[in-house]
Amino acid sequence: MLSKTTGKPPRPTPGFGGLRRFRTPGISAVLLLAAFVVFAAFTLIAAGREFLPYSSAKPILDVQRDHLPAALQNADATKWAAWARQEDETIRARLEQGDLDSMVNLLLYGTSFTQQPRIRMESLTEASKTGVLRSRVDDLVAGLRSPGDNERLVFLNGLLRSKGIDPGAPGATGEFLYKNLLRVLEERKTLAARAAEAKPASLLDRASLFADRGVSLDTSILPDFSIEQTLRDLKKRGVLREGQVARVAVIGPGLDFIDKNEESGYDYYPQQTLQPFALYDSLVRLGLAKNNAVSLSIFDISSRVIDHMQRARARNNTGYVIQLPRDIARPWPPELISYWRSLGDQVGTAVAPIRPPKIFRPLNGGQGLETRAVRIRPDVVLACEPMDLNIVLERLNLAAADRFDLMVGTNIFVYYNAFEQTLALENAGAMLKPGGLLLTNDRLAEVPGGRSSMRLAGTTDVRYDDHGVSAHEPVGWYQKLVIRN
Ligand SMILES: C[S@@+](CC[C@H](N)C(=O)[O-])C[C@H]1O[C@@H](n2cnc3c(N)ncnc32)[C@H](O)[C@@H]1O
């Protein structure tokens, strides 16, 4: 979500955690760097995953007393542990609804199962009158019945079955598609009304807009651009220094199944994740990290994200290809276009992109898609280690030396209420080195009264200016406090 401009963010106190430097880039240094990455991955596996302990939750429960769920009123350690387990299940259960939302996005924008034009939300009534919607539903029903090797359809076929719907029964499948389309439409209306009424406390505050929505895996290049611009800003301000970042975590990288926004909703290439590779790429481009000296943890609650990354790592000699389409008709600012052009050049090599289907070609009305593809190097893929972790409730019990220099979580905390956001902030803080940073495009409430281990140190307001309309995305930098005795 893009928001209007902010004023200048306050300057943070420097004091970012200690990092290593390698003087000579000879063979021994390269071996040392590789050994470091393997060692870092090993220590992470060895680290225990635990629920946020009651002792850390208590200050948050105390200050949020009036806003707590009933099960946490007058909580003690036992009540807290029971609630955390239950809440973990509740959060994970939201993924299914997110998958059903993706099914609707596929119905409207997908091109892998139909020749019908894509349908914009605004032109749904028209598409219904002309029969385009009906034809798309029929084509998707047929695709779901016989998915072949279309991985998106194979996944949805399994999802339907898990809901007791036989994809071979066209009536039930069509009805299910329409029912979910209507639900998504209603939900969009509610969200739009909520957004119009919201009184955000600050520009970064997105008022937990998606707190009762299904958790989706949607991802695109845009948040990665925001993060690169923020890192650039942090370097310029001296908050981050050359070669300073080695241990990194991405919270919720997502999986590009088909985006909820039509402008990045594509299904003509295999499902892909972008953020871990884009972040590694940005860190090297900006000189904040050394190539081959980054260990990158991926935390997610989605088994689809985790399995996807594990499979990518298992194919360890082939690397990982990312497809980067750009709709020429979209008014991207020059900085974003140049980011799109360079994305991946520090971590891979350009390869021939998959050709988009005819529907995207200029003859069909649009200006068409410009496309790039990059094969990410195997060592970079192997440096990215996925792990199941619910950031709202869980943390890794890391030794001080193994904690992260930098964590990134975009378009994730907007799915949670203020209480859950505070829990997540504390969990991230527990895994950061003193002075380490969490970058996110949401305002996360700190525990008041100076009892938080994290504080908002500043904001970078990323510009998406185009056609005279001022569009911005603020990214907050939360810093782990440096405790001095
Ligand atoms: C909407 S996607 C955002 C993807 C990417 N960060 C981006 O900005 O494009 C949300 C991602 O966060 C993950 N996620 C949601 N809640 C989470 C939680 N409590 N802990 C860890 N991951 C979570 C989802 O599974 C998904 O991968």
Side-chain angles (χ1 to χ4, degrees):
M1 188 171 82
L2 303 178
S3 46
K4 300 273 180 242
T5 186
T6 56
K8 271 198 170 169
R11 267 187 84 83
T13 318
F16 199 74
L19 294 155
R20 30 195 107 196
R21 281 171 185 277
F22 298 93
R23 265 171 280 146
T24 41
I27 298 251
S28 54
V30 170
L31 287 176
L32 205 61
L33 293 172
F36 161 75
V37 170
V38 171
F39 175 72
F42 177 75
T43 52
L44 200 65
I45 292 164
R49 187 179 68 154
E50 61 180 22
F51 280 122
L52 189 154
Y54 178 64
S55 55
S56 305
K58 186 154 186 342
I60 306 174
L61 298 177
D62 287 347
V63 291
Q64 300 260 354
R65 198 170 297 131
D66 299 337
H67 310 283
L68 292 177
L72 282 179
Q73 296 297 337
N74 306 314
D76 55 15
T78 313
K79 270 191 179 183
W80 166 254
W83 180 82
R85 263 195 307 276
Q86 177 59 50
E87 185 63 8
D88 182 45
E89 281 178 24
T90 307
I91 287 175
R92 289 166 188 272
R94 291 172 62 191
L95 286 164
E96 184 185 278
Q97 178 105 323
D99 291 341
L100 293 174
D101 293 354
S102 296
M103 178 183 77
V104 170
N105 301 333
L106 191 73
L107 169 67
L108 299 176
Y109 311 139
T111 55
S112 62
F113 58 90
T114 183
Q115 304 288 321
Q116 293 295 324
R118 308 200 313 157
I119 304 177
R120 292 189 172 172
M121 278 289 174
E122 313 83 270
S123 40
L124 201 57
T125 313
E126 181 63 20
S128 178
K129 281 190 201 142
T130 56
V132 171
L133 177 60
R134 176 66 201 262
S135 301
R136 280 198 151 253
V137 170
D138 290 346
D139 290 351
L140 185 51
V141 167
L144 290 169
R145 189 168 50 234
S146 313
D149 60 0
N150 182 324
E151 57 178 358
R152 289 168 175 86
L153 297 182
V154 169
F155 168 71
L156 290 177
N157 176 294
L159 181 62
L160 289 184
R161 288 181 192 283
S162 76
K163 309 271 315 155
I165 295 163
D166 174 6
T173 306
E175 201 182 308
F176 189 68
L177 289 176
Y178 275 118
K179 205 173 97 198
N180 275 283
L181 173 61
L182 289 179
R183 177 186 59 74
V184 167
L185 285 176
E186 278 309 308
E187 191 181 274
R188 286 203 181 205
K189 270 193 228 150
T190 311
L191 288 174
R194 196 183 288 169
E197 275 168 26
K199 294 187 181 59
S202 72
L203 208 81
L204 196 52
D205 181 8
R206 293 197 286 175
S208 299
L209 206 58
F210 294 172
D212 51 6
R213 196 176 200 189
V215 171
S216 90
L217 308 188
D218 293 356
T219 187
S220 74
I221 184 181
L222 300 182
D224 303 326
F225 170 67
S226 293
I227 291 298
E228 174 155 314
Q229 294 296 86
T230 304
L231 290 170
R232 197 180 294 281
D233 186 30
L234 288 166
K235 186 176 179 196
K236 203 168 93 197
R237 291 165 187 263
V239 182
L240 285 176
R241 295 185 314 271
E242 287 267 318
Q244 203 188 346
V245 180
R247 293 187 62 84
V248 184
V250 172
I251 313 167
L255 191 63
D256 181 5
F257 181 88
I258 187 158
D259 198 60
K260 61 171 87 60
N261 298 307
E262 180 242 349
E263 62 262 40
S264 21
Y266 303 113
D267 68 333
Y268 72 84
Y269 47 76
Q271 293 179 87
Q272 62 182 18
T273 192
L274 269 185
Q275 197 158 42
F277 308 124
L279 177 60
Y280 195 135
D281 183 54
S282 295
L283 288 169
V284 176
R285 178 172 306 109
L286 297 169
L288 293 171
K290 304 246 186 223
N291 229 330
N292 296 314
V294 177
S295 81
L296 196 150
S297 298
I298 292 174
F299 298 136
D300 211 294
I301 50 172
S302 162
S303 57
R304 288 168 62 204
V305 173
I306 305 287
D307 293 350
H308 181 86
M309 274 311 298
Q310 266 159 357
R311 280 198 301 275
R313 283 161 56 87
R315 298 187 298 267
N316 63 8
N317 52 354
T318 54
Y320 181 98
V321 177
I322 52 173
Q323 302 291 330
L324 302 167
R326 174 177 100 77
D327 185 344
I328 294 168
R330 301 277 160 197
W332 278 10
E335 295 84 1
L336 178 52
I337 295 179
S338 95
Y339 174 72
W340 171 80
R341 278 192 217 294
S342 60
L343 176 50
D345 63 5
Q346 306 296 312
V347 290
T349 359
V351 291
I354 294 174
R355 193 154 189 245
K358 269 207 268 182
I359 201 162
F360 292 109
R361 294 190 201 141
L363 282 178
N364 289 293
Q367 290 179 38
L369 296 184
E370 196 177 348
T371 55
R372 291 186 63 229
V374 178
R375 184 180 296 280
I376 309 292
R377 292 194 315 266
D379 65 285
V380 174
V381 180
L382 280 176
C384 298
E385 198 200 357
M387 185 172 275
D388 179 296
L389 183 127
N390 182 345
I391 193 67
V392 173
L393 298 159
E394 297 177 305
R395 53 186 51 194
L396 286 185
N397 192 356
L398 294 169
D402 297 330
R403 292 189 188 144
F404 300 111
D405 304 306
L406 176 72
M407 300 180 85
V408 167
T410 55
N411 302 315
I412 166 170
F413 302 114
V414 67
Y415 287 88
Y416 296 99
N417 65 33
F419 172 53
E420 293 165 322
Q421 290 175 344
T422 304
L423 297 176
L425 184 63
E426 289 306 306
N427 281 327
M431 294 188 277
L432 280 168
K433 289 179 182 159
L437 294 173
L438 165 68
L439 305 183
T440 177
N441 52 350
D442 278 297
R443 176 77 180 105
L444 311 178
E446 295 143 45
V447 192
R451 284 188 283 179
S452 182
S453 67
M454 301 282 283
R455 66 171 185 132
L456 181 64
T459 309
T460 299
D461 200 14
V462 180
R463 296 170 61 92
Y464 283 79
D465 265 356
D466 50 78
H467 287 217
V469 180
S470 230
H472 296 242
E473 175 157 64
V475 176
W477 344 314
Y478 291 85
Q479 193 161 38
K480 172 80 175 272
L481 295 178
V482 181
I483 313 283
R484 293 197 174 83
N485 296 320

